[in-house]
Amino acid sequence: MTDLFADIVGQEMAVSMLTRALEQGASHAYLFFGPSGVGKSEAAIAFAAGLACANGGCGVCSTCRRVLEGLHPDVEVVAPEGNFIRKEEITDINLHAAYRPYEARAKVYVFLEADSFNAEAANAFLKTLEEPPGHVHFILVTDRSERLLPTIASRCLPVTFSSVPVSAVAADLAGRFGTPPEEAALIARLSGGDLAYARELATTESARRQRDRLLDLGRDLPAAGLMDTQVALDEIMATVESRSRERAEDLENELAKALEWAGDARTKSWLKKRHEEKTKRQRRRLHTKGLQTVTRVFAGWYRDLALVSAGAEEGVLNQDRLDDLRVGASQGSLLGYTQAVMAVGKAQERLRYNVDARCAISDMFRSIKEALAQWPRS
Ligand SMILES: [Zn+2]
């Protein structure tokens, strides 16, 4: 037996609850909720493997491995296409859920961004959720449980995930990737408990380059002219695009690997189709994540400037940029930087609701510049 949840860090409560469920019998519906980047989706897939595996989640059999690789026919991952999970998709699931599993012990449906059911889809889903066939399990995953319909939420067993403690993030980076202690501590602090972001920063050169570049932009923004801002905007959109393309290439490699061991032509064509859907969904998610990263870096930067302006350097996230922060703090005011943080928050809110990204970030730049000009250092 290997531990299915070995990669889930700092979620002892959730993991022990799920392990117990695998040992003693699982409920039909679960709601995994908590902040983004703390391992909810990974835990959902691992739990699905445990539910499907004939040995209760050994982590090594063909069923477990294929579920973990996203290639098992009895475990389906559902995510919104565009903004919503649509009724057609749920109708399809209702129909197929009724049939026995192809080969596994159970059928499992994992819903990512489960808060994005539209009303019709939610109604269609409720029927199955109220009286699910005995062999079916549903795992709903969301960062925004407050947006989930109460009729759906109340029929699921809640599993709480929380921010990973900064010290646990640092330990994970050091243990998993051999990140030097000082760097691990800096990244853990920057991540604010978002393990996925921390791991990305620790392992991906382009992610670190992007952070540096964004911080430079934040630093230079007060003096930047209209043209500079436009160039910066183009650059940001291009990096988000190229970073999500990079990740999509990883997915292509995964498919190539999966196809190698797929025996017959039918399995191969099924794998290809499944993979195409996955890539399409992933692209959208990667794009959204990329934009979140951009605004997160800006929010951290202006938050740090506000702190240094207030004489509270010890609370700074971007400890490696203290020199730039001190210069910035000597030129701007606490009020200006606080307003800048609020402008970033507004952009984040707009991006959540799928406002045109370029427009949201361009407005954010303008608001920041206005705030800094209005409240200079007195
Ligand atoms: Zn197994």
Side-chain angles (χ1 to χ4, degrees):
M1 292 280 266
T2 63
D3 181 6
L4 271 177
F5 301 105
D7 283 352
I8 312 297
V9 174
Q11 309 294 343
E12 286 74 18
M13 285 251 290
V15 167
S16 81
M17 179 174 171
L18 297 174
T19 311
R20 218 170 333 120
L22 289 178
E23 285 163 7
Q24 301 173 357
S27 164
H28 284 295
Y30 288 86
L31 173 63
F32 287 19
F33 70 97
S36 81
V38 299
K40 295 187 301 299
S41 317
E42 293 82 354
I45 303 292
F47 188 49
L51 293 168
C53 167
N55 313 313
C58 65
V60 289
C61 70
S62 150
T63 301
C64 281
R65 279 188 293 123
R66 282 182 295 150
V67 173
L68 296 174
E69 285 173 24
L71 300 168
H72 198 289
D74 289 316
V75 174
E76 194 172 327
V77 179
V78 185
E81 258 181 54
N83 296 346
F84 295 109
I85 296 176
R86 291 174 205 289
K87 190 186 169 197
E88 299 75 65
E89 190 146 16
I90 300 301
T91 312
D92 205 39
I93 289 171
N94 287 344
L95 190 68
H96 285 98
Y99 296 110
R100 301 283 315 155
Y102 293 102
E103 45 178 278
R105 191 162 63 111
K107 259 188 183 173
V108 188
Y109 295 91
V110 177
F111 291 89
L112 302 177
E113 298 176 50
D115 49 275
S116 38
F117 280 95
N118 69 18
E120 287 173 317
N123 277 330
F125 183 52
L126 265 178
K127 289 193 196 112
T128 312
L129 191 60
E130 277 166 354
E131 290 171 43
H135 55 263
V136 169
H137 298 275
F138 296 110
I139 308 173
L140 280 65
V141 180
T142 178
D143 301 344
R144 296 177 280 173
S145 54
E146 73 284 356
R147 291 184 60 192
L148 201 71
L149 293 171
T151 40
I152 289 186
S154 64
R155 285 176 173 79
C156 303
L157 211 58
V159 183
T160 317
F161 288 73
S162 30
S163 287
V164 183
V166 168
S167 58
V169 175
D172 178 75
L173 300 180
R176 191 175 300 267
F177 311 117
T179 312
E182 203 171 313
E183 195 185 330
L186 171 70
I187 293 176
R189 208 176 159 117
L190 290 173
S191 77
D194 179 338
L195 188 63
Y197 181 53
R199 285 178 180 169
E200 191 183 6
L201 272 181
T203 55
T204 319
E205 174 61 31
S206 62
R208 284 194 296 270
R209 250 199 332 264
Q210 186 192 32
R211 168 181 173 255
D212 284 337
R213 194 63 198 107
L214 290 171
L215 291 178
D216 290 348
L217 285 174
R219 181 194 58 199
D220 300 339
L221 190 61
L226 191 60
M227 267 306 281
D228 302 329
T229 321
Q230 286 304 314
V231 171
L233 196 56
D234 289 338
E235 194 188 319
I236 287 174
M237 298 313 288
T239 353
V240 169
E241 201 40 53
S242 84
R243 300 250 324 114
S244 81
R245 209 166 30 236
E246 208 175 289
R247 300 281 292 276
E249 274 166 27
D250 294 343
L251 283 177
E252 285 305 314
N253 295 334
E254 268 176 37
L255 172 68
K257 243 196 306 181
L259 285 177
E260 261 172 40
W261 60 254
D264 54 297
R266 222 177 105 217
T267 317
K268 280 192 175 152
S269 94
W270 177 81
L271 277 176
K272 270 192 187 148
K273 183 169 167 280
R274 179 102 177 223
H275 189 270
E276 265 167 32
E277 289 162 6
K278 188 171 157 190
T279 310
K280 204 165 100 188
R281 276 200 315 264
Q282 285 275 48
R283 276 208 103 120
R284 194 188 69 87
R285 286 168 62 81
L286 291 173
H287 193 79
T288 314
K289 281 242 169 249
L291 292 167
Q292 281 168 354
T293 303
V294 168
T295 51
R296 172 208 286 262
V297 173
F298 278 106
W301 178 252
Y302 291 108
R303 173 195 169 281
D304 281 356
L305 280 166
L307 282 173
V308 178
S309 303
E313 272 187 14
E314 66 285 355
V316 161
L317 295 175
N318 297 285
Q319 288 285 345
D320 56 336
R321 292 293 202 117
L322 264 180
D323 290 344
D324 282 337
L325 288 167
R326 284 177 189 141
V327 174
S330 71
Q331 293 161 350
S333 70
L334 174 60
L335 192 52
Y337 289 133
T338 310
Q339 301 263 348
V341 174
M342 285 164 69
V344 181
K346 194 167 165 213
Q348 285 169 330
E349 192 63 20
R350 292 180 68 195
L351 287 168
R352 277 192 166 186
Y353 291 98
N354 292 292
V355 175
D356 175 59
R358 206 190 150 83
C359 175
I361 294 179
S362 164
D363 287 351
M364 175 185 87
F365 278 162
R366 204 184 43 244
S367 304
I368 292 173
K369 281 177 74 66
E370 278 170 13
L372 301 185
Q374 194 182 351
W375 309 101
R377 182 116 207 133
S378 51

